[in-house]
Amino acid sequence: MERRTAWLGPAAIVVGSGLGMYFSIGIVLIYGFSVFILPIVEDTGWDRTAVAAVVAPIAIVNGLMSPVVGALTDRFGPRRVLIASSILMALGLTAVGITSHSLQAFVAAVTIASLLGAAQTGVPYTYVIVGWFSARRGLALGIMLSFVGLGIATVPPALAFIISLWGWRFAFVAAGIAAMAITLPVAFFVIRDPPAASKAARSEGHDVPQALRTSSFWLMLAAFFLNYFAAAAGSISLPVQLADRGAAPAQAAFVMSMVGLSFIVMRLGFGALLDRFPPVPLTALAFLAPVVGHLILLNSEGQAAAYVSAVFFGLATGAEGDAIGFLLARRFGMRSFGKLFGINYMALTMGAGLGPAMLHFLAQGGTRYDEALTVFACIGAIAPLLLMLDRGIRSPERVGA
């Protein structure tokens, strides 16, 4: 049975964490970045491949910082970390719009913004949910993380609308201010550090060195990376692929809404299913979705196929968000959950950034999509195989909470 969380109640913890995820740094700088690429190129004349590749340093910084954020969350609790990151993320995003007068300055600005907003991610919010909930942990994670899907569905079109009216620089400033206006009050008044964390840290689960010595940890890490590498490459590149297929900017941006909506459905449904069915085979099945998405794009030339593939990419990313916290807590417990989740979130974030950059590189400005999509379909097929290889994930030695 869930513990009483705070005077606001458990529902407020879930919704507040969800609102934080809606305005997380990845929504703006990774998923939202897709609608910035063509307007930036048209406005500045910078090379399109170079601009599209900027998502890679964003993801690398977020990824490398995830273990640090996890350690800080274990040490100081998620509430303090989220208060600081809300302010820092707003400063970073605002600075992108103000200081980006050359490609080099733009790359530096978004990299710094990614660094400043590195804690405004799923690491502390998942820590909150996993720490407060036990019997319905999968459902609570699913509800909280469904807000990411809502962000994917609505933030890119909103940014595209702002860009059409006031330009891409103003859109970065507006994103920073709007994010802080929501996440800072949530961190102050809604988020509460789970009391279960301190008890679990003393007695339950693996510490980091113990986890690193298991094959389960490395197989999960590789599977999470490859799934997000393939799924994010497909979804984040869809607006550009649609534009190359003749779609108008508004239509191209709308495809992210399809990604987000399927993401929401998967988050809500998959979280509940994790509580009822064997989680590893279930996750492996969901990890086949990006393979299907890339194959649909590979075997079609029309715009409609891109919207169908968007559904599959959203299903894959939606499943992973639920599975990563659930499987880690189930296998390794809460003793070092923040650090272990941070390391795995690093793999997820790097996959989200490196995948789209590699796809754009292989596609060579839209002239070699067939080769790029074939490579990514093959990469995506590896992730579910890795999950099914290890018995330790399916029959954990310890139960998380």
Side-chain angles (χ1 to χ4, degrees), residues 62-78 81 121-128 130 197-198 200-202 204 206-212 217-218 221 224 324-325 328-329 332-348:
N62 265 276
L64 293 175
M65 285 298 295
S66 293
V68 177
V69 173
L72 291 173
T73 304
D74 281 336
R75 176 71 175 83
F76 299 105
V81 170
T121 64
V123 177
Y125 289 116
T126 301
Y127 187 102
V128 170
V130 170
S198 60
R202 291 194 299 269
E204 186 179 322
H206 295 63
D207 59 21
V208 174
Q210 290 172 334
L212 294 179
F217 179 85
W218 297 105
L221 187 75
F224 294 147
I324 187 170
L328 283 172
F332 301 112
M334 287 295 293
R335 183 177 182 183
S336 297
F337 180 83
K339 298 182 185 71
L340 295 174
F341 186 86
I343 295 170
N344 280 267
Y345 199 83
M346 173 179 67
L348 183 150

Side-chain angles (χ1 to χ4, degrees), residues 20 22 36 89 103 165 185 200 203 214 226 232 263 285 298 347 361 365:
Y22 180 90
F36 284 96
M89 184 180 76
L103 179 58
L165 294 179
S203 60
T214 67
L226 291 175
F263 187 103
L285 180 63
L298 177 63
F361 174 77

Side-chain angles (χ1 to χ4, degrees), residues 24 29 63 79 305:
S24 64
L29 283 187
R79 184 169 179 266

